[in-house]
Amino acid sequence: MSKYDNMIERNRKVSEEKISRAKSAIREMIEDEEKVTIPKLMKKTGLSRGFFYKNATVRKEIDRALDLQAGMVDSKRKILDLAMENRIELLEKTIKELKKENMELKQQNEKQQKLLNKRNLSILKS
């Protein structure tokens, strides 16, 4: 075997190892119900962003994973959504209480205005 053939064989093995590492990271993320994203894969595997976009085999695996996870909600997002729903509920309750208080204050103001008008009329008459 020539040096050229050895080099090609070594590059092929390195490429296969990278593909295998990327595929196993994708499968692991799917099993852990973790959202598959390129930045997370880069962090887990140490491979470049370009590798995940340019390598057809890995790209197909990523697309398949994204299709599987299409309806999946990120666990952090789910927790944030629950917190926001609770916050919205609390704010709606506060709004309802404030509207009730506002109506009561308007009624009191109306009564006070009527009393003041009566007093002004009685002062004018006398």
Side-chain angles (χ1 to χ4, degrees):
M1 232 186 211
S2 70
K3 288 182 181 180
Y4 178 75
D5 292 334
N6 286 338
M7 184 177 69
I8 288 177
E9 183 64 24
R10 189 174 41 231
N11 285 345
R12 187 185 59 75
K13 285 181 182 178
V14 168
S15 179
E16 286 175 0
E17 191 274 331
K18 286 179 180 180
I19 290 170
S20 174
R21 193 172 8 153
K23 283 183 171 183
S24 66
I26 292 168
R27 281 189 219 107
E28 185 180 308
M29 290 174 81
I30 290 171
E31 288 172 11
D32 294 343
E33 295 183 359
E34 184 179 350
K35 184 84 172 145
V36 176
T37 64
I38 302 295
K40 287 181 182 178
L41 285 169
M42 288 170 52
K43 202 176 257 187
K44 279 186 178 259
T45 62
L47 299 171
S48 71
R49 179 182 306 274
F51 174 81
F52 291 104
Y53 286 110
K54 290 178 184 176
N55 189 297
T57 308
V58 174
R59 187 66 211 177
K60 284 179 187 174
E61 194 74 20
I62 291 171
D63 291 340
R64 187 182 68 76
L66 292 176
D67 287 342
L68 283 173
Q69 296 181 332
M72 187 182 121
V73 176
D74 192 15
S75 59
K76 289 179 185 176
R77 182 177 178 159
K78 188 174 183 177
I79 292 169
L80 286 173
D81 286 348
L82 286 174
M84 292 304 290
E85 284 176 18
N86 289 338
R87 180 78 172 140
I88 289 170
E89 220 173 271
L90 178 67
L91 290 171
E92 285 175 345
K93 183 180 176 185
T94 304
I95 288 170
K96 187 176 178 180
E97 290 171 358
L98 289 171
K99 282 183 177 181
K100 182 180 176 184
E101 182 183 349
N102 189 23
M103 190 173 355
E104 290 170 359
L105 289 171
K106 283 182 179 180
Q107 288 173 349
Q108 286 179 358
N109 187 24
E110 212 173 282
K111 287 180 184 176
Q112 294 295 326
Q113 287 292 334
K114 286 180 183 178
L115 286 174
L116 187 61
N117 285 339
K118 283 182 182 180
R119 186 177 295 157
N120 285 342
L121 281 175
S122 66
I123 291 174
L124 284 175
K125 287 182 180 178
S126 58

